[in-house]
């Protein structure tokens, strides 16, 4: 999507005697749009047109975006000394202003700079630091519409980190990063539903907490000013998780390995292409997937098998159970139905789909309702009632709603 036509229409509505804030906002957004379409020289010109009065405490948010755009121009031009100065200033303003978003952008820019300078190990550490901020920042992002788009715009650092790890042969670390990014996305979707389920008092508590975060009152208090921004925000974000009854993200460490005899398949995309990971109880294998130009969405049947399963055929034939953790375009693929060795994959071994999330704390109140085959005109799945009956046995206090 090219945002420049829309910005042109907005610019036409700005009067010549507009205040410096409106002019500065327009020019910074114009520069960001030009960077998005790859016109670095015009972006630099737009930034030079930002009024000099747009600086200082009154314009801190706009100033951070200006610094970010200037740093991106310098990085694109491989002017690493200039980028270094701008990114340091961006990080300092972000700390003072209390913006996790812009501190993340400063860390990502630093990682990009180090990568451009060929400092691979330092770049890896900087990308990891940027990843740490994403989980913390996620709770401050507005709920509902726009959250998925926000996550989509923040995958660049994650994907680059995965590519760098794979280039260095660190397959296990690359798998950890891919799994954590997938959990982050699923948690963000689940969080919307958690908010929908809050009672009025809890919803009011969460709104008050978000108001504090939005106004940066917590970040600006003198008692916390000597602490790094993530530490200043951690208590408030922890309170938000408590309101939502959401377990904290376990951290950057690895997920528990598969059980003996179990195979876990994880798929992810990166700047270097699509990758698949096959993890057993004692090993991790990786394969680059030869995705056609038209994408995965147009493939079916044997072509999907060749792409997704064939690279791991030896592991599949040696396993007793398969757990799949798909993402992106693969979320709708019925792996269990893919042909493998002349039959659907599920005929060879059980296939499960995993969210890879921690269990939520048990609720102290409320009751369980089991809804079993209630649509009168629907055709029940074979064995659905038997499975539902077994689940009810496991939760004997559940109320049951059954169809005819």
């Amino acid at each position: 999507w090219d945002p420049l036509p829309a910005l042109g229409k907005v610019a036409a509505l700005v009067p010549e005697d507009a205040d410096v804030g409106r002019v500065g906002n327009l020019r910074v957004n114009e520069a960001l749009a030009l960077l998005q379409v790859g016109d670095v020289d015009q972006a630099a010109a737009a930034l030079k047109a930002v009024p000099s009065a747009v600086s200082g405490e009154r314009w801190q948010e706009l100033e951070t975006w200006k610094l970010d755009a200037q740093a991106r121009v310098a990085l694109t031009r491989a002017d690493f000394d200039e980028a270094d100065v701008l990114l340091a200033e961006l990080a300092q303003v972000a700390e003072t202003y209390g913006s996790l978003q812009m501190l993340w952008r400063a860390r990502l820019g630093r990682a990009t700079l180090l990568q451009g300078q060929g400092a691979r190990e330092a770049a890896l550490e900087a990308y990891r630091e940027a990843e740490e901020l994403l989980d913390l920042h996620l709770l401050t992002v507005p709920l509902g519409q726009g959250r998925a788009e926000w996550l989509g715009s923040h995958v660049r650092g994650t994907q680059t980190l995965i590519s760098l790890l794979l280039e260095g042969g660190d397959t296990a670390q690359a798998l950890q990063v891919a799994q954590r990014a997938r959990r982050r996305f699923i948690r963000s979707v689940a969080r919307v539903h958690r908010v929908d389920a809050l009672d009025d008092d809890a919803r009011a508590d969460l709104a008050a907490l978000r108001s504090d975060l939005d106004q940066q009152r917590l970040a600006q208090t003198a008692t916390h000013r000597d602490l790094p921004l993530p530490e200043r925000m951690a208590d408030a974000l922890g309170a938000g998780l408590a309101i939502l009854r959401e377990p904290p993200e376990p951290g950057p460490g690895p997920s528990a390995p598969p059980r003996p005899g179990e195979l876990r398949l994880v798929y992810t995309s990166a700047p270097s292409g699509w990758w698949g990971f096959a993890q057993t109880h004692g090993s991790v294998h990786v394969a680059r997937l030869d995705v056609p130009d038209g994408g995965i969405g147009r493939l079916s049947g044997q072509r999907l098998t060749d792409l997704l399963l064939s690279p791991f055929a030896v592991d599949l034939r040696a396993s007793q159970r398969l757990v799949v953790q798909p993402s992106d375009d693969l979320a709708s693929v019925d792996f269990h139905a893919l042909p493998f060795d002349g039959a659907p994959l599920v005929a060879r071994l059980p296939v499960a789909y995993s969210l890879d999330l921690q269990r939520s704390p048990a609720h102290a109140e409320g009751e369980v309702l089991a809804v079993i085959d209630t649509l009168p005109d629907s055709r029940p799945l074979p064995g659905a009632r038997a499975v539902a009956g077994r689940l009810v046995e496991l939760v004997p206090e559940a109320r049951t709603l059954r169809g005819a």
Side-chain angles (χ1 to χ4, degrees), residues 97-114:
Y97 176 58
S99 173
L100 286 169
Q101 156 82 344
M102 301 316 294
L103 184 58
W104 174 82
R105 299 189 75 87
R107 289 188 179 181
L108 183 63
R110 176 73 55 191
T112 305
L113 184 154
L114 292 166

Side-chain angles (χ1 to χ4, degrees), residues 72-401:
R72 289 168 61 186
V73 168
L75 286 171
T76 303
R77 292 173 168 174
D79 188 348
F80 297 133
D81 290 340
E82 176 70 7
D84 187 36
V85 173
L86 291 165
L87 289 167
E89 186 176 356
L90 174 59
Q92 181 178 6
V93 175
E95 284 273 1
T96 303
Y97 176 58
S99 173
L100 286 169
Q101 156 82 344
M102 301 316 294
L103 184 58
W104 174 82
R105 299 189 75 87
R107 289 188 179 181
L108 183 63
R110 176 73 55 191
T112 305
L113 184 154
L114 292 166
Q115 185 180 2
Q117 292 177 321
R120 181 181 178 276
E121 293 303 318
L124 281 172
E125 183 58 31
Y127 278 119
R128 290 191 183 101
E129 290 177 355
E131 281 287 291
E132 291 297 312
L133 276 185
L134 277 183
D135 290 315
L136 187 61
H137 182 28
L138 187 57
L139 192 60
T140 70
V141 180
L143 293 163
Q145 187 175 8
R147 179 173 286 265
E149 288 79 0
W150 180 90
L151 280 166
S153 68
H154 285 67
V155 299
R156 180 167 60 92
T158 302
Q159 293 179 335
T160 303
L161 176 56
I162 291 171
S163 286
L164 279 175
L165 290 167
L166 289 173
E167 288 171 10
D170 199 339
T171 303
Q173 281 286 324
L175 173 61
Q176 290 178 27
V177 174
Q179 289 177 312
R180 190 177 185 188
R182 182 175 179 271
R183 288 196 300 268
R184 184 184 300 126
F185 182 84
I186 294 173
R187 281 163 61 93
S188 74
V189 175
R191 190 167 289 154
V192 176
H193 297 289
R194 289 180 185 276
V195 171
D196 290 341
L198 292 177
D199 59 32
D200 291 342
D201 289 341
R203 192 180 294 268
D205 289 342
L206 187 62
L209 178 63
R210 278 202 49 83
S211 177
D212 279 343
L213 289 170
D214 288 342
Q215 297 177 36
Q216 304 305 328
R217 289 198 293 265
L218 294 173
Q220 297 286 6
T221 53
T223 55
H224 291 82
R225 187 62 65 83
D226 58 334
L227 295 175
L229 177 60
E231 293 183 31
R232 282 184 256 156
M233 304 292 256
D235 289 344
L237 299 182
L241 293 178
I243 293 171
L244 292 169
R245 291 178 173 175
E246 180 178 327
E249 167 65 27
S255 301
R259 292 171 292 184
E262 184 177 273
L263 175 66
R264 181 182 296 158
L265 293 182
V266 181
Y267 300 90
T268 190
S269 59
S272 52
W274 271 88
W275 297 86
F277 298 86
Q279 184 182 23
T280 66
H281 182 69
S283 65
V284 178
H285 304 136
V286 66
R288 184 169 181 172
L289 308 181
D290 188 16
V291 177
D293 293 338
I296 294 174
R298 298 183 181 182
L299 303 181
S300 61
Q302 187 61 44
R303 294 187 68 189
L304 275 175
T305 296
D306 294 341
L307 180 69
L308 304 174
L309 301 182
S310 295
F312 311 112
V314 173
D315 289 316
L316 282 166
R317 295 186 181 110
S319 300
Q320 300 167 7
R321 183 174 185 265
L322 172 64
V323 176
V324 185
Q325 293 178 357
S327 60
D328 301 318
D329 294 344
L330 299 180
S332 60
V333 173
D334 294 328
F335 281 80
H336 61 277
L338 293 178
F340 187 77
D341 286 350
L345 180 62
V346 72
R348 166 172 283 276
L349 77 176
V351 179
Y353 299 86
S354 169
L355 295 178
D356 191 29
L357 297 179
Q358 283 190 322
R359 291 181 180 272
S360 300
H363 288 199
E365 69 282 339
E367 55 185 351
V368 178
L369 173 65
V371 181
I372 305 171
D373 191 20
T374 58
L375 298 178
D377 297 328
S378 66
R379 177 182 298 176
L381 290 171
R385 293 192 177 190
V387 171
R390 176 58 180 146
L391 291 174
V392 171
E393 290 177 10
L394 295 174
V395 189
E397 68 273 19
R399 291 196 302 121
T400 303
L401 180 61

